[in-house]
Amino acid sequence: MAWFDNIRLRYKLLINFLLTGGILLLALLFSLIQIDAVGEKTDTIASNALPSMQIVGEISQARLRYRVRSLEYLLPGTPEEKAKLEQSLNKLALEVEASFAKYEPLIISEKERQVYTDAVTASQRYREVVNEAIALHKAGNEEGAQQLRRTKWVQAANNLRDQTDRLANINREIADHAANDVRNGVSGAINGGWLALGCGVTLALLMGW
């Protein structure tokens, strides 16, 4: 570095400033990019994964209440009790439909849309089977209603449960991946800052040697 020793002090300081400043500027840009990425992933968790999981919870609760009410309907009871149970079933079915409608705008991938479609189809099928059993019960065909409950009813109910669980799982995966990206982004920004600081200090010492 004889050439460097032969130049004026003013130019040495200028070169030192430009090099260290350039390194720090690059580090700042890198950190800003990482922070921006962290912001996007945090937004994914806050505005997508968490609301989606909350809605799936609402669907699961309404589904369980619907299942209990539908089983109660097939038990002995007065016409007034049956009418109240039927109203409750209709109300719960509408709650499930409303929850699915709230969920749809939050879908962010084709995989999630397919799982969502399967869950909606399973919900519709379950309601159809329950209505079929209720119709048999009203017609006095108690044996037919109970036979349906032991076969298609159980299958449809379990399928809806499984599809709802798939929705919950896919949102947990989205949240987990986003959280992991946030951790990596923060770690990268911190490490990049320390690396730039170390390079700047080292370069300053070499220039002043």
Side-chain angles (χ1 to χ4, degrees):
M1 296 181 63
W3 64 270
F4 186 76
D5 294 333
N6 293 330
I7 63 177
R8 289 183 173 184
L9 177 60
R10 179 172 56 184
Y11 294 123
K12 289 181 180 180
L13 293 175
L14 180 60
I15 293 172
N16 192 358
F17 173 77
L18 291 175
L19 290 175
T20 54
I23 291 174
L24 292 175
L25 180 60
L26 289 175
L28 177 61
L29 291 174
F30 175 76
S31 297
L32 289 175
I33 292 172
Q34 292 294 96
I35 291 172
D36 184 63
V38 167
E40 290 180 3
K41 295 302 180 180
T42 302
D43 184 65
T44 297
I45 296 173
S47 64
N48 184 276
L50 292 181
S52 295
M53 292 177 70
Q54 180 179 356
I55 294 172
V56 171
E58 293 173 1
I59 294 172
S60 295
Q61 290 177 9
R63 173 185 61 80
L64 288 173
R65 293 200 302 271
Y66 186 88
R67 188 167 189 172
V68 171
R69 292 288 186 278
S70 59
L71 290 172
E72 288 178 353
Y73 189 93
L74 297 184
L75 297 175
T78 64
E80 291 78 12
E81 292 172 337
K82 298 293 184 182
K84 289 182 179 180
L85 285 172
E86 195 164 0
Q87 289 178 356
S88 178
L89 286 171
N90 291 333
K91 181 180 178 181
L92 288 170
L94 292 176
E95 287 181 11
V96 172
E97 290 179 5
S99 294
F100 274 121
K102 283 196 302 182
Y103 185 98
E104 187 172 12
L106 300 174
I107 296 173
I108 61 174
S109 69
E110 286 303 316
K111 178 182 178 182
E112 185 180 5
R113 182 168 296 280
Q114 183 58 56
V115 175
Y116 167 82
T117 301
D118 292 342
V120 172
T121 302
S123 177
Q124 293 171 345
R125 176 55 183 161
Y126 180 40
R127 188 178 183 186
E128 289 173 359
V129 173
V130 170
N131 287 338
E132 185 179 349
I134 288 175
L136 289 172
H137 181 79
K138 287 181 176 179
N141 188 356
E142 184 64 27
E143 179 59 30
Q146 293 296 337
Q147 178 63 25
L148 192 65
R149 179 187 63 80
R150 291 189 293 267
T151 53
K152 292 181 181 180
W153 182 318
V154 173
Q155 294 170 4
N158 290 343
N159 184 43
L160 176 55
R161 176 202 61 202
D162 294 342
Q163 299 306 325
T164 305
D165 288 345
R166 286 179 66 201
L167 268 184
N169 289 336
I170 199 171
N171 280 284
R172 276 194 291 269
E173 291 175 4
I174 292 171
D176 288 343
H177 289 160
N180 187 58
D181 289 341
V182 167
R183 286 191 293 269
N184 291 337
V186 171
S187 177
I190 293 173
N191 292 336
W194 281 113
L195 179 61
L197 181 60
C199 290
V201 171
T202 302
L203 185 59
L205 291 174
L206 289 175
M207 290 294 185
W209 185 259

